[in-house]
Amino acid sequence: LFAWANWGSRFYLRNLMSFSALGLNPALVEAVHQAGYTQPTPIQQQAIPAVLQRRDLLAAAQTGTGKTASFVLPILQILSAQPIQKPRPVKALILTPTRELAAQIEEQIQKYGKELSPKLKHHVVFGGVSINPQMMALRGGVDILTATPGRLLDLIAQKSVSLKQIEFFVLDEADRMLDMGFINDIRKILSMLPPVRQNLFFSATTPSDIVALAKSILSKDYETIEVAPTFTPVERISQKVYHVDKRQKGLLLKELLNTNL
């Protein structure tokens, strides 16, 4: 019985997908393991090889499924294999709707890229804070820039950043981008990008307007990945709707927080 169980364990472990099996280099695999991850999530299993193969991508994945690593890891690998230019032009632009999401992506870039040699330079920019430190940080150039649309356009207007040598354009949380009214900013930014680039389009849901926007950005042979049914919420999230007058929203929120804490 013990011998059978031991054989079964070895068989199971051999058939688990590993990060190294996705084509990632040892430095990135080591960084992922140091972060506490051993097996890739479904979106990572499908997206990482596609990005490494330089395919355009339309990926539908819920928040919390590991989608950020699915584009950060292959971008780090590809850019780290290229010669370092001085000053460093922005090679990868990651566009995201909020400062919180931008900061989270920056943290993952830092976490996964720490074992690479030579190290890539990356920076995050968003509104709501002074623009001057961000302008100073961009003076020497960066390889990867994570940005919210409005602040990126401000920096472009100040001639603090150029998008002429972008190789990767990532549109993250595309459905939230549209919901928050960023479509015109996105179109302005797209007009400044080089025509030849790799486009990675990530969205939690893929309604018709998202698909239409994706098709206007992605190449004709783009790959589609969907790891969860469209419009399906993450299972561990409980959702409720309260119909309330706009003036009472703050009071209701305060009452709900006090009730459920």
Side-chain angles (χ1 to χ4, degrees):
L1 179 61
F2 173 81
W4 181 90
N6 194 32
W7 176 87
S9 297
R10 291 198 304 271
F11 177 82
Y12 174 73
L13 289 172
R14 281 200 303 270
N15 284 275
L16 282 174
M17 178 70 73
S18 67
F19 281 96
S20 57
L22 300 179
L24 294 173
N25 66 37
L28 289 171
V29 173
E30 175 61 23
V32 170
H33 287 170
Q34 288 180 17
Y37 305 109
T38 54
Q39 280 84 42
T41 65
I43 182 65
Q44 293 164 0
Q45 290 179 25
Q46 297 180 64
I48 289 174
V51 179
L52 289 174
Q53 293 166 13
R54 306 307 299 265
R55 298 286 304 276
D56 275 16
L57 199 63
L58 170 57
Q62 300 164 307
T63 300
T65 57
K67 64 182 176 60
T68 301
S70 69
F71 60 80
V72 165
L73 289 168
I75 288 175
L76 286 171
Q77 175 153 317
I78 293 170
L79 292 184
S80 66
Q82 298 180 357
I84 299 296
Q85 297 176 245
K86 292 186 178 180
R88 300 191 185 205
V90 180
K91 295 289 190 69
L93 172 63
I94 303 170
L95 210 59
T96 193
T98 69
R99 59 188 295 176
E100 291 80 14
L101 286 169
Q104 290 172 18
I105 293 170
E106 174 68 7
E107 288 175 5
Q108 293 211 30
I109 294 172
Q110 183 174 354
K111 176 169 59 178
Y112 296 134
K114 65 181 181 180
E115 299 293 332
L116 294 174
S117 181
K119 290 188 180 296
L120 297 172
K121 290 185 67 177
H122 47 88
H123 194 59
V124 59
V125 296
F126 45 72
V129 297
S130 173
I131 196 172
N132 293 328
Q134 296 176 357
M135 294 171 64
M136 293 289 290
L138 293 171
R139 279 189 176 178
V142 295
D143 302 293
I144 304 173
L145 180 62
T146 304
T148 54
R151 179 48 56 95
L152 178 61
L153 289 171
D154 292 340
L155 289 163
I156 292 171
Q158 295 288 337
K159 301 188 183 302
S160 295
V161 63
S162 170
L163 306 181
K164 293 181 179 180
Q165 296 191 54
I166 293 292
E167 295 183 22
F168 295 92
F169 173 62
V170 182
L171 191 63
D172 190 29
E173 299 285 350
D175 47 356
R176 289 185 63 183
M177 286 276 198
L178 268 61
D179 289 343
M180 295 173 70
F182 284 127
I183 185 62
N184 290 331
D185 287 350
I186 292 171
R187 286 174 176 154
K188 289 178 185 177
I189 292 165
L190 285 169
S191 70
M192 302 176 192
L193 299 178
V196 179
R197 62 182 187 268
Q198 186 173 356
N199 302 287
L200 308 173
F201 197 103
F202 286 82
S203 183
T205 60
T206 52
S208 58
D209 54 347
I210 291 294
V211 174
L213 176 62
K215 288 182 176 180
S216 70
I217 297 173
L218 303 173
S219 61
K220 292 181 179 179
D221 62 341
Y222 70 88
E223 185 169 337
T224 301
I225 295 173
E226 188 169 342
V227 299
T230 304
F231 298 114
T232 301
V234 176
E235 291 180 1
R236 64 177 181 269
I237 296 177
S238 175
Q239 299 187 75
K240 294 181 179 180
V241 175
Y242 294 89
H243 296 281
V244 63
D245 185 87
K246 183 177 181 180
R247 291 169 295 181
Q248 302 297 318
K249 285 184 177 181
L251 292 173
L252 175 61
L253 176 59
K254 184 177 180 180
E255 177 64 24
L256 291 172
L257 290 173
N258 288 333
T259 302
N260 290 285
L261 287 178

Coordinates of all heavy atoms in Angstrom, one line a residue, residues 149-232:
P149 N -4.1 56.5 -17.4 CA -4.2 57.2 -18.6 C -4.0 58.7 -18.5 O -3.2 59.3 -19.2 CB -5.6 56.9 -19.2 CG -5.9 55.6 -18.5 CD -5.3 55.6 -17.2
G150 N -4.7 59.4 -17.5 CA -4.6 60.8 -17.4 C -3.2 61.3 -17.0 O -2.7 62.3 -17.7
R151 N -2.5 60.7 -16.1 CA -1.2 61.1 -15.7 C -0.2 60.8 -16.8 O 0.8 61.6 -17.0 CB -0.8 60.4 -14.4 CG 0.6 60.8 -13.9 CD 1.0 62.3 -13.9 NE 0.1 63.1 -13.1 CZ 0.3 63.5 -11.9 NH1 1.3 63.0 -11.2 NH2 -0.6 64.2 -11.3
L152 N -0.4 59.7 -17.5 CA 0.5 59.5 -18.7 C 0.4 60.6 -19.7 O 1.5 61.1 -20.2 CB 0.2 58.1 -19.3 CG 1.0 57.8 -20.5 CD1 2.5 57.7 -20.2 CD2 0.5 56.4 -21.2
L153 N -0.8 61.0 -20.0 CA -0.9 62.1 -21.0 C -0.3 63.4 -20.5 O 0.2 64.2 -21.3 CB -2.4 62.3 -21.3 CG -3.0 61.1 -22.2 CD1 -4.5 61.3 -22.3 CD2 -2.4 61.1 -23.6
D154 N -0.4 63.6 -19.2 CA 0.2 64.8 -18.6 C 1.7 64.8 -18.8 O 2.4 65.8 -19.2 CB -0.1 64.9 -17.1 CG -1.6 65.2 -16.8 OD1 -2.2 65.7 -17.7 OD2 -2.0 65.0 -15.7
L155 N 2.3 63.6 -18.6 CA 3.8 63.5 -18.7 C 4.2 63.6 -20.2 O 5.3 64.1 -20.5 CB 4.2 62.2 -18.1 CG 4.1 62.1 -16.6 CD1 4.2 60.6 -16.1 CD2 5.3 62.9 -15.9
I156 N 3.4 63.1 -21.1 CA 3.7 63.2 -22.5 C 3.7 64.7 -22.9 O 4.5 65.2 -23.6 CB 2.7 62.4 -23.3 CG1 3.0 60.9 -23.1 CG2 2.9 62.7 -24.8 CD1 1.9 60.0 -23.7
A157 N 2.7 65.4 -22.4 CA 2.5 66.8 -22.7 C 3.7 67.6 -22.2 O 4.1 68.6 -22.8 CB 1.2 67.4 -22.1
Q158 N 4.3 67.1 -21.1 CA 5.5 67.8 -20.5 C 6.8 67.3 -21.1 O 7.9 67.7 -20.7 CB 5.6 67.5 -19.0 CG 4.4 68.1 -18.2 CD 4.5 69.6 -18.0 OE1 5.6 70.2 -18.2 NE2 3.4 70.2 -17.8
K159 N 6.7 66.4 -22.1 CA 7.8 65.8 -22.9 C 8.7 65.1 -21.9 O 10.0 65.0 -22.1 CB 8.6 66.9 -23.6 CG 7.7 67.7 -24.6 CD 8.6 68.6 -25.5 CE 7.7 69.4 -26.5 NZ 6.9 68.6 -27.4
S160 N 8.1 64.5 -20.9 CA 8.9 63.7 -19.9 C 9.0 62.2 -20.3 O 9.8 61.5 -19.7 CB 8.3 63.8 -18.5 OG 8.4 65.1 -18.0
V161 N 8.2 61.8 -21.3 CA 8.2 60.4 -21.7 C 7.8 60.3 -23.2 O 7.0 61.1 -23.6 CB 7.3 59.5 -20.8 CG1 5.8 60.0 -21.0 CG2 7.4 58.1 -21.1
S162 N 8.4 59.4 -23.8 CA 8.1 59.1 -25.3 C 7.6 57.7 -25.4 O 8.2 56.8 -24.7 CB 9.3 59.3 -26.1 OG 9.1 58.9 -27.5
L163 N 6.7 57.5 -26.3 CA 6.1 56.1 -26.5 C 6.6 55.6 -27.9 O 6.0 54.6 -28.4 CB 4.6 56.1 -26.4 CG 4.0 56.7 -25.2 CD1 2.5 56.6 -25.2 CD2 4.5 56.0 -23.9
K164 N 7.6 56.2 -28.5 CA 7.9 55.8 -29.9 C 8.6 54.5 -30.0 O 8.7 53.9 -31.1 CB 8.9 56.9 -30.4 CG 8.2 58.3 -30.6 CD 9.1 59.3 -31.2 CE 8.5 60.6 -31.4 NZ 9.4 61.6 -32.0
Q165 N 9.1 53.9 -28.9 CA 9.8 52.6 -29.0 C 9.1 51.5 -28.2 O 9.8 50.5 -27.8 CB 11.3 52.8 -28.6 CG 12.1 53.7 -29.5 CD 13.6 53.7 -29.2 OE1 14.2 52.6 -29.2 NE2 14.2 54.8 -28.9
I166 N 7.8 51.7 -28.0 CA 7.1 50.7 -27.3 C 7.1 49.4 -28.0 O 6.7 49.3 -29.2 CB 5.6 51.2 -27.0 CG1 5.6 52.4 -26.1 CG2 4.8 50.0 -26.5 CD1 6.0 52.0 -24.7
E167 N 7.4 48.3 -27.4 CA 7.3 46.9 -27.9 C 6.1 46.2 -27.4 O 5.5 45.3 -28.1 CB 8.6 46.1 -27.6 CG 9.8 46.6 -28.3 CD 11.0 45.8 -28.0 OE1 10.8 44.6 -27.7 OE2 12.2 46.3 -28.1
F168 N 5.7 46.5 -26.1 CA 4.6 45.8 -25.5 C 3.6 46.9 -25.0 O 4.0 47.8 -24.3 CB 5.0 45.0 -24.2 CG 5.9 43.9 -24.5 CD1 7.3 44.0 -24.5 CD2 5.4 42.6 -24.8 CE1 8.1 42.9 -24.8 CE2 6.2 41.5 -25.1 CZ 7.6 41.7 -25.1
F169 N 2.3 46.7 -25.4 CA 1.3 47.6 -24.9 C 0.3 46.7 -24.2 O -0.3 45.8 -24.8 CB 0.6 48.3 -26.0 CG -0.6 49.1 -25.5 CD1 -0.5 50.1 -24.5 CD2 -1.9 48.8 -26.0 CE1 -1.6 50.8 -24.1 CE2 -3.0 49.5 -25.5 CZ -2.8 50.5 -24.6
V170 N 0.1 46.9 -22.8 CA -0.8 46.1 -22.0 C -1.9 47.0 -21.6 O -1.7 48.0 -21.0 CB -0.1 45.5 -20.8 CG1 -1.1 44.6 -20.0 CG2 1.1 44.7 -21.2
L171 N -3.1 46.6 -21.9 CA -4.3 47.3 -21.4 C -4.9 46.4 -20.4 O -5.5 45.4 -20.7 CB -5.3 47.6 -22.6 CG -6.5 48.5 -22.2 CD1 -6.0 49.9 -21.9 CD2 -7.4 48.6 -23.4
D172 N -4.8 46.8 -19.1 CA -5.2 45.9 -18.0 C -6.6 46.5 -17.5 O -6.8 47.7 -17.5 CB -4.2 46.0 -16.9 CG -4.5 44.9 -15.8 OD1 -5.1 43.9 -16.1 OD2 -4.1 45.2 -14.6
E173 N -7.4 45.5 -17.0 CA -8.8 45.9 -16.5 C -9.5 46.8 -17.6 O -10.0 47.9 -17.3 CB -8.7 46.6 -15.2 CG -8.0 45.8 -14.1 CD -8.9 44.8 -13.5 OE1 -10.1 44.8 -13.8 OE2 -8.4 43.9 -12.8
A174 N -9.6 46.3 -18.8 CA -10.1 47.1 -19.9 C -11.6 47.4 -19.6 O -12.0 48.5 -20.0 CB -10.0 46.3 -21.2
D175 N -12.4 46.5 -19.0 CA -13.8 46.8 -18.8 C -13.9 47.9 -17.8 O -14.8 48.8 -18.0 CB -14.5 45.6 -18.3 CG -13.8 44.8 -17.2 OD1 -12.7 45.2 -16.9 OD2 -14.4 43.8 -16.7
R176 N -13.1 48.0 -16.8 CA -13.1 49.1 -15.9 C -12.7 50.4 -16.5 O -13.2 51.5 -16.2 CB -12.3 48.8 -14.7 CG -12.8 47.7 -13.7 CD -12.0 47.5 -12.5 NE -12.0 48.7 -11.7 CZ -11.3 48.8 -10.5 NH1 -10.5 47.8 -10.1 NH2 -11.3 49.9 -9.8
M177 N -11.7 50.3 -17.4 CA -11.3 51.5 -18.2 C -12.5 52.2 -18.9 O -12.7 53.4 -18.8 CB -10.3 51.1 -19.2 CG -8.9 50.8 -18.7 SD -7.9 52.3 -18.4 CE -6.3 51.6 -18.3
L178 N -13.3 51.3 -19.6 CA -14.4 51.9 -20.3 C -15.5 52.4 -19.3 O -16.1 53.5 -19.5 CB -15.0 50.8 -21.2 CG -14.5 50.8 -22.6 CD1 -13.0 50.6 -22.7 CD2 -15.2 49.8 -23.5
D179 N -15.7 51.7 -18.2 CA -16.7 52.1 -17.2 C -16.4 53.4 -16.6 O -17.2 54.2 -16.3 CB -16.9 51.1 -16.1 CG -17.6 49.8 -16.6 OD1 -18.2 49.8 -17.7 OD2 -17.4 48.7 -15.9
M180 N -15.1 53.7 -16.5 CA -14.6 54.9 -15.9 C -14.4 56.1 -16.9 O -14.0 57.1 -16.5 CB -13.3 54.7 -15.1 CG -13.4 53.7 -13.9 SD -11.9 53.2 -13.2 CE -11.4 54.8 -12.4
G181 N -14.8 55.8 -18.1 CA -14.8 56.9 -19.1 C -13.4 57.2 -19.7 O -13.2 58.4 -20.1
F182 N -12.5 56.2 -19.8 CA -11.1 56.5 -20.3 C -11.0 56.2 -21.8 O -9.9 56.3 -22.3 CB -10.1 55.6 -19.5 CG -9.8 56.1 -18.1 CD1 -9.9 55.2 -17.1 CD2 -9.4 57.4 -17.9 CE1 -9.6 55.7 -15.8 CE2 -9.1 57.8 -16.6 CZ -9.2 57.0 -15.5
I183 N -12.1 56.0 -22.5 CA -11.9 55.6 -23.9 C -11.2 56.6 -24.7 O -10.4 56.3 -25.6 CB -13.3 55.2 -24.5 CG1 -13.1 54.7 -25.9 CG2 -14.2 56.4 -24.4 CD1 -12.3 53.4 -26.0
N184 N -11.5 57.9 -24.5 CA -10.9 59.0 -25.3 C -9.4 59.0 -25.0 O -8.5 59.2 -25.9 CB -11.5 60.3 -25.1 CG -12.9 60.4 -25.7 OD1 -13.2 59.7 -26.7 ND2 -13.8 61.2 -25.1
D185 N -9.0 58.9 -23.7 CA -7.6 58.9 -23.3 C -6.9 57.7 -23.9 O -5.7 57.9 -24.4 CB -7.5 58.9 -21.8 CG -7.8 60.2 -21.1 OD1 -8.0 61.2 -21.9 OD2 -7.9 60.2 -19.9
I186 N -7.5 56.6 -23.9 CA -6.9 55.4 -24.5 C -6.6 55.6 -26.0 O -5.6 55.3 -26.5 CB -7.8 54.1 -24.3 CG1 -7.8 53.8 -22.8 CG2 -7.3 53.0 -25.1 CD1 -8.9 52.7 -22.5
R187 N -7.6 56.2 -26.7 CA -7.4 56.4 -28.1 C -6.3 57.4 -28.4 O -5.5 57.2 -29.4 CB -8.7 56.9 -28.7 CG -9.8 55.8 -28.9 CD -11.1 56.4 -29.3 NE -12.1 55.3 -29.5 CZ -13.4 55.4 -29.5 NH1 -13.9 56.6 -29.2 NH2 -14.2 54.4 -29.7
K188 N -6.1 58.4 -27.6 CA -5.0 59.4 -27.7 C -3.7 58.7 -27.5 O -2.7 58.9 -28.3 CB -5.2 60.5 -26.7 CG -6.3 61.5 -26.9 CD -6.3 62.5 -25.8 CE -7.5 63.5 -26.0 NZ -7.6 64.4 -24.9
I189 N -3.6 57.8 -26.5 CA -2.4 57.1 -26.2 C -2.1 56.1 -27.4 O -0.9 56.0 -27.8 CB -2.5 56.4 -24.9 CG1 -2.5 57.4 -23.8 CG2 -1.3 55.4 -24.7 CD1 -3.0 56.8 -22.4
L190 N -3.1 55.4 -27.9 CA -2.9 54.5 -29.0 C -2.3 55.2 -30.2 O -1.5 54.6 -30.9 CB -4.2 53.8 -29.3 CG -4.7 52.7 -28.4 CD1 -6.1 52.3 -28.7 CD2 -3.8 51.5 -28.5
S191 N -2.7 56.4 -30.5 CA -2.3 57.2 -31.6 C -0.8 57.5 -31.5 O -0.2 57.8 -32.5 CB -3.1 58.4 -31.8 OG -2.8 59.4 -30.8
M192 N -0.2 57.4 -30.3 CA 1.2 57.8 -30.1 C 2.1 56.5 -30.1 O 3.3 56.7 -30.1 CB 1.3 58.5 -28.8 CG 0.5 59.8 -28.7 SD 0.7 60.5 -27.0 CE -0.6 61.7 -27.1
L193 N 1.5 55.4 -30.2 CA 2.3 54.1 -30.2 C 2.8 53.8 -31.6 O 2.1 54.1 -32.5 CB 1.5 53.0 -29.6 CG 1.0 53.1 -28.2 CD1 0.1 51.9 -27.8 CD2 2.1 53.3 -27.2
P194 N 3.9 53.1 -31.7 CA 4.4 52.6 -33.0 C 3.4 51.6 -33.5 O 2.8 50.8 -32.7 CB 5.8 52.0 -32.7 CG 5.7 51.7 -31.2 CD 4.9 52.7 -30.6
P195 N 3.3 51.5 -34.8 CA 2.3 50.5 -35.4 C 2.6 49.1 -35.2 O 1.8 48.2 -35.1 CB 2.3 50.9 -36.9 CG 3.6 51.6 -37.1 CD 3.9 52.3 -35.9
V196 N 3.9 48.8 -35.1 CA 4.4 47.4 -34.8 C 4.7 47.2 -33.4 O 5.6 47.8 -32.9 CB 5.6 47.0 -35.7 CG1 6.0 45.6 -35.4 CG2 5.3 47.2 -37.2
R197 N 3.9 46.4 -32.7 CA 4.1 46.2 -31.2 C 3.3 45.0 -30.9 O 2.4 44.5 -31.7 CB 3.6 47.4 -30.4 CG 2.1 47.7 -30.6 CD 1.6 48.9 -29.9 NE 0.1 49.0 -30.0 CZ -0.5 49.7 -31.0 NH1 0.2 50.3 -31.9 NH2 -1.8 49.7 -31.0
Q198 N 3.5 44.5 -29.7 CA 2.7 43.3 -29.2 C 1.7 43.9 -28.2 O 2.0 44.7 -27.3 CB 3.6 42.3 -28.4 CG 2.9 41.1 -28.0 CD 3.8 40.0 -27.5 OE1 5.0 40.2 -27.5 NE2 3.3 38.9 -27.0
N199 N 0.4 43.5 -28.4 CA -0.7 44.1 -27.7 C -1.3 43.0 -26.8 O -1.6 41.9 -27.2 CB -1.8 44.6 -28.6 CG -1.3 45.7 -29.5 OD1 -1.0 46.8 -29.1 ND2 -1.1 45.3 -30.8
L200 N -1.5 43.3 -25.5 CA -2.0 42.3 -24.5 C -3.2 43.0 -23.8 O -3.0 44.0 -23.2 CB -0.9 41.9 -23.5 CG 0.4 41.4 -24.1 CD1 1.4 41.2 -23.0 CD2 0.2 40.2 -24.9
F201 N -4.4 42.4 -24.0 CA -5.6 43.0 -23.6 C -6.3 42.2 -22.6 O -6.6 41.0 -22.8 CB -6.5 43.1 -24.9 CG -7.7 44.1 -24.8 CD1 -7.6 45.3 -25.4 CD2 -8.8 43.7 -24.1 CE1 -8.7 46.2 -25.3 CE2 -9.9 44.5 -24.1 CZ -9.8 45.8 -24.7
F202 N -6.3 42.7 -21.3 CA -6.9 41.9 -20.2 C -8.2 42.5 -19.7 O -8.2 43.7 -19.5 CB -5.9 41.7 -19.1 CG -4.7 40.8 -19.4 CD1 -3.7 41.2 -20.2 CD2 -4.7 39.5 -19.0 CE1 -2.6 40.4 -20.5 CE2 -3.7 38.6 -19.3 CZ -2.6 39.1 -20.0
S203 N -9.2 41.7 -19.4 CA -10.4 42.2 -18.9 C -11.1 41.2 -18.1 O -11.0 40.0 -18.4 CB -11.3 42.6 -20.1 OG -12.5 43.2 -19.7
A204 N -11.8 41.6 -17.1 CA -12.5 40.6 -16.2 C -13.7 40.1 -17.0 O -14.2 38.9 -16.8 CB -13.0 41.2 -14.9
T205 N -14.3 40.9 -17.8 CA -15.5 40.5 -18.6 C -15.3 40.9 -20.1 O -14.4 41.8 -20.4 CB -16.8 41.2 -18.1 OG1 -16.6 42.6 -18.2 CG2 -17.1 40.8 -16.7
T206 N -16.0 40.3 -21.0 CA -15.8 40.6 -22.4 C -17.1 40.9 -23.1 O -17.6 40.2 -24.0 CB -15.1 39.5 -23.2 OG1 -15.8 38.3 -22.9 CG2 -13.6 39.4 -22.7
P207 N -17.8 42.0 -22.7 CA -19.1 42.4 -23.4 C -18.7 42.9 -24.8 O -17.5 43.0 -25.2 CB -19.6 43.5 -22.5 CG -18.5 44.0 -21.8 CD -17.5 42.9 -21.6
S208 N -19.7 43.2 -25.6 CA -19.5 43.5 -27.0 C -18.6 44.7 -27.2 O -17.8 44.8 -28.1 CB -20.9 43.7 -27.7 OG -21.6 44.7 -27.0
D209 N -18.8 45.8 -26.3 CA -17.9 47.0 -26.5 C -16.5 46.7 -26.2 O -15.6 47.3 -26.9 CB -18.5 48.1 -25.7 CG -18.6 47.8 -24.2 OD1 -18.5 46.6 -23.8 OD2 -18.7 48.7 -23.4
I210 N -16.2 45.8 -25.3 CA -14.8 45.4 -25.0 C -14.2 44.6 -26.2 O -13.1 44.9 -26.6 CB -14.7 44.5 -23.8 CG1 -15.1 45.4 -22.5 CG2 -13.3 43.9 -23.6 CD1 -14.1 46.5 -22.2
V211 N -15.0 43.7 -26.8 CA -14.5 42.9 -27.9 C -14.3 43.9 -29.1 O -13.3 43.7 -29.8 CB -15.6 41.8 -28.3 CG1 -15.1 41.1 -29.6 CG2 -15.7 40.8 -27.2
A212 N -15.2 44.8 -29.3 CA -15.0 45.8 -30.4 C -13.7 46.6 -30.2 O -12.9 46.8 -31.2 CB -16.2 46.7 -30.5
L213 N -13.4 47.1 -29.0 CA -12.2 47.8 -28.7 C -11.0 46.9 -28.9 O -10.0 47.4 -29.5 CB -12.2 48.3 -27.3 CG -11.0 49.1 -26.8 CD1 -10.7 50.3 -27.7 CD2 -11.1 49.5 -25.3
A214 N -11.1 45.7 -28.5 CA -9.9 44.8 -28.6 C -9.6 44.5 -30.1 O -8.4 44.6 -30.5 CB -10.3 43.4 -27.9
K215 N -10.6 44.3 -30.9 CA -10.4 44.1 -32.3 C -9.8 45.3 -33.0 O -9.1 45.1 -34.0 CB -11.7 43.7 -33.0 CG -12.2 42.3 -32.6 CD -13.4 41.9 -33.4 CE -13.8 40.4 -33.0 NZ -15.1 40.0 -33.8
S216 N -10.0 46.5 -32.5 CA -9.4 47.7 -33.1 C -8.0 47.8 -32.7 O -7.2 48.6 -33.3 CB -10.2 48.9 -32.7 OG -10.0 49.2 -31.3
I217 N -7.5 47.1 -31.7 CA -6.2 47.2 -31.2 C -5.3 46.0 -31.6 O -4.1 46.2 -31.9 CB -6.2 47.4 -29.6 CG1 -6.9 48.6 -29.2 CG2 -4.7 47.4 -29.1 CD1 -7.1 48.8 -27.7
L218 N -5.9 44.8 -31.5 CA -5.1 43.6 -31.6 C -4.9 43.3 -33.1 O -5.6 43.7 -34.0 CB -5.8 42.5 -31.0 CG -6.1 42.6 -29.5 CD1 -7.0 41.5 -29.0 CD2 -4.8 42.7 -28.7
S219 N -3.8 42.5 -33.3 CA -3.6 42.0 -34.7 C -4.6 41.0 -35.1 O -5.4 40.5 -34.3 CB -2.2 41.3 -34.8 OG -2.1 40.2 -33.9
K220 N -4.7 40.7 -36.4 CA -5.8 39.8 -36.9 C -5.7 38.4 -36.4 O -6.7 37.7 -36.3 CB -5.7 39.8 -38.4 CG -6.1 41.2 -39.1 CD -6.1 41.1 -40.6 CE -6.5 42.4 -41.2 NZ -6.5 42.4 -42.7
D221 N -4.5 37.9 -36.0 CA -4.3 36.6 -35.6 C -4.1 36.5 -34.1 O -3.4 35.6 -33.6 CB -3.1 35.9 -36.3 CG -1.8 36.6 -36.0 OD1 -1.8 37.8 -35.5 OD2 -0.7 36.0 -36.1
Y222 N -4.8 37.4 -33.3 CA -4.6 37.4 -31.9 C -5.2 36.1 -31.3 O -6.1 35.5 -31.9 CB -5.3 38.6 -31.3 CG -6.8 38.7 -31.3 CD1 -7.6 38.1 -30.3 CD2 -7.5 39.3 -32.4 CE1 -9.0 38.2 -30.4 CE2 -8.8 39.4 -32.4 CZ -9.6 38.9 -31.4 OH -10.9 38.9 -31.5
E223 N -4.7 35.8 -30.1 CA -5.2 34.6 -29.4 C -6.2 35.0 -28.3 O -6.0 36.0 -27.6 CB -4.0 33.9 -28.8 CG -4.4 32.6 -28.1 CD -3.2 31.7 -27.7 OE1 -2.2 31.9 -28.3 OE2 -3.4 30.9 -26.8
T224 N -7.3 34.3 -28.2 CA -8.3 34.5 -27.1 C -8.2 33.5 -26.0 O -8.1 32.3 -26.3 CB -9.7 34.5 -27.7 OG1 -9.8 35.5 -28.8 CG2 -10.7 34.8 -26.7
I225 N -8.2 34.0 -24.8 CA -8.1 33.1 -23.6 C -9.2 33.5 -22.7 O -9.4 34.7 -22.4 CB -6.8 33.2 -22.9 CG1 -5.6 32.7 -23.8 CG2 -6.8 32.4 -21.6 CD1 -4.3 32.9 -23.2
E226 N -10.0 32.5 -22.3 CA -11.1 32.8 -21.3 C -11.1 31.7 -20.2 O -11.3 30.6 -20.6 CB -12.4 32.9 -21.9 CG -13.5 33.4 -21.0 CD -14.8 33.7 -21.7 OE1 -14.8 33.9 -23.0 OE2 -15.9 33.8 -21.1
V227 N -10.7 32.1 -19.0 CA -10.6 31.0 -18.0 C -11.8 31.0 -17.0 O -11.8 30.1 -16.1 CB -9.3 31.3 -17.1 CG1 -8.1 31.2 -18.0 CG2 -9.4 32.6 -16.4
A228 N -12.7 31.8 -17.2 CA -14.0 31.8 -16.4 C -15.1 32.3 -17.3 O -14.9 33.1 -18.1 CB -13.8 32.6 -15.1
P229 N -16.3 31.9 -17.0 CA -17.4 32.4 -17.8 C -17.6 33.9 -17.7 O -17.4 34.5 -16.7 CB -18.7 31.7 -17.2 CG -18.1 30.5 -16.5 CD -16.7 30.9 -16.1
T230 N -17.9 34.5 -18.8 CA -18.1 36.0 -18.9 C -19.2 36.4 -17.9 O -20.2 35.7 -17.8 CB -18.4 36.4 -20.3 OG1 -17.4 36.0 -21.2 CG2 -18.5 37.9 -20.3
F231 N -18.9 37.4 -17.2 CA -19.8 38.0 -16.2 C -20.0 37.2 -14.9 O -20.9 37.4 -14.2 CB -21.2 38.3 -16.8 CG -21.2 39.3 -17.9 CD1 -21.5 38.8 -19.2 CD2 -20.8 40.6 -17.7 CE1 -21.5 39.7 -20.3 CE2 -20.8 41.5 -18.8 CZ -21.1 41.1 -20.0
T232 N -19.1 36.2 -14.7 CA -19.2 35.4 -13.5 C -18.3 36.0 -12.4 O -17.1 36.2 -12.6 CB -18.7 33.9 -13.8 OG1 -19.5 33.4 -14.8 CG2 -18.8 33.1 -12.5

